[in-house]
Amino acid sequence: KEETGSASGTLRKARLASGLVVAQIGLSLLLLICAGLFIRSFRSAQQINPGFNPRKVLIASYDLFTAGYSDASGAEFDRQLVAKLETLPGVQSVALSNRVPLGFGGGSTSVKPEGYISPANESMETQAAIITPNYFQTMQIPLVKGRDFTLQDNKGSQRAVIVSEAFANRYWPKQEPLGKQLNSDLTHEWFKVVGVARDTKVTGLNEKPTPFVYLPLYQVYRANMIINARVAGDPLTFAKTIEKTAHELNPELVVYDVTTLELRAQFA
């Protein structure tokens, strides 16, 4: 107020206004550049093939350990649940797993591939998933060699494993992986390779192909599992139906983290 009407006050105001305008334009340009880079990165990420098809897949989790199931009764529950889900109208394929690609769950196992001599201090820890038959069909992950798991891959049969292309290329380069064996510290047993699956992104879209092993649930039982259901139409419209089907087998079972694979993969 003291500077009102004075030439010096008017000059200071003009300089201050000009400075604010310059700062505002500079900040706006910076935000535009950042937005452009974000959009370009987003478009690039959309063009990356994750190795599986996340669209039209509903996922939901449950834990049979907290529900009081033993390994034997839990495995039987899993078989019955998958069989019932497969008959639902609009459900195209169903499988259980303890993890989803670019999502949550899962873990790793230390492996000992047949014939491979490990250099000193090399980590043999390998990403792993425990799955039921039809997992590859449900996720639309191609099997490049061999076969999928079946219900016959159970506690009474030869231990079976499916490995990724990256696993086969790393530990058995220029060799036939089918029929090879590997030991897993999950059960300290030898598993025979019955199939080779196409590589998928495991933890991030920009990662290089990483060795991966798939083990059959009915040989390596886990109580905490994820329902993967590929459906016709909007997956979320099947949420209540799938929860209801699980509750037909056990009304007290808690089904949680019900979402779509596409949403889960986006936020990984």
Side-chain angles (χ1 to χ4, degrees):
K1 289 181 180 180
E2 292 176 356
E3 294 173 346
T4 301
S6 68
S8 60
T10 302
L11 182 60
R12 288 192 187 96
K13 288 182 179 180
R15 287 176 177 174
L16 178 60
S18 297
L20 289 173
V21 169
V22 170
Q24 187 177 22
I25 292 174
L27 181 60
S28 298
L29 287 173
L30 178 61
L31 291 174
L32 285 173
I33 292 170
C34 291
L37 291 174
F38 175 80
I39 293 172
R40 187 171 68 177
S41 298
F42 181 74
R43 287 178 177 174
S44 297
Q46 285 184 316
Q47 294 173 356
I48 296 175
N49 180 9
F52 64 97
N53 182 5
R55 296 176 180 83
K56 296 190 177 183
V57 177
L58 183 76
I59 58 176
S61 301
Y62 62 91
D63 186 355
L64 294 181
F65 178 79
T66 57
Y69 286 77
S70 66
D71 288 6
S73 62
E76 181 58 29
F77 176 93
D78 292 334
R79 291 189 190 93
Q80 292 182 26
L81 177 61
V82 171
K84 289 175 73 69
L85 292 174
E86 288 176 335
T87 65
L88 295 177
V91 174
Q92 299 172 339
S93 181
V94 179
L96 306 179
S97 65
N98 71 330
R99 74 186 299 163
V100 293
L102 295 177
F104 56 90
S108 61
T109 176
S110 181
V111 298
K112 185 187 297 181
E114 175 188 351
Y116 180 77
I117 300 176
S118 174
N121 300 321
E122 179 185 15
S123 173
M124 300 304 293
E125 201 70 19
T126 303
Q127 293 293 308
I130 297 171
I131 63 175
T132 61
N134 294 326
Y135 175 81
F136 298 101
Q137 176 184 341
T138 302
M139 293 296 177
Q140 295 187 358
I141 301 173
L143 281 174
V144 297
K145 281 189 175 184
R147 66 170 177 87
D148 192 359
F149 295 134
T150 70
L151 292 176
Q152 283 66 50
D153 293 310
N154 53 39
K155 291 288 188 180
S157 64
Q158 163 72 49
R159 300 296 181 259
V161 62
I162 295 173
V163 302
S164 68
E165 290 178 295
F167 186 101
N169 292 334
R170 176 174 177 179
Y171 297 116
W172 300 305
K174 298 181 181 180
Q175 301 178 52
E176 175 56 68
L178 296 181
K180 294 283 190 181
Q181 297 191 74
L182 63 88
N183 191 284
S184 164
D185 68 348
L186 292 178
T187 63
H188 300 287
E189 297 174 296
W190 286 93
F191 291 76
K192 182 179 179 180
V193 177
V194 299
V196 178
R198 185 71 50 81
D199 291 325
T200 67
K201 303 297 183 181
V202 179
T203 58
L205 287 174
N206 294 319
E207 69 183 7
K208 295 180 180 179
T210 181
F212 200 95
V213 296
Y214 301 89
L215 300 166
L217 173 64
Y218 303 125
Q219 291 182 344
V220 186
Y221 178 76
R222 290 294 181 273
N224 194 331
M225 297 301 289
I226 302 166
I227 301 168
N228 307 277
R230 180 167 293 279
V231 300
D234 180 2
L236 290 177
T237 62
F238 289 80
K240 290 185 178 179
T241 302
I242 286 179
E243 289 185 63
K244 179 182 177 182
T245 303
H247 290 153
E248 289 174 358
L249 295 172
N250 182 344
E252 304 301 321
L253 183 67
V254 177
V255 180
Y256 59 96
D257 283 341
V258 181
T259 184
T260 69
L261 180 58
E262 191 169 17
L263 286 173
R264 182 61 62 181
Q266 286 179 355
F267 291 104

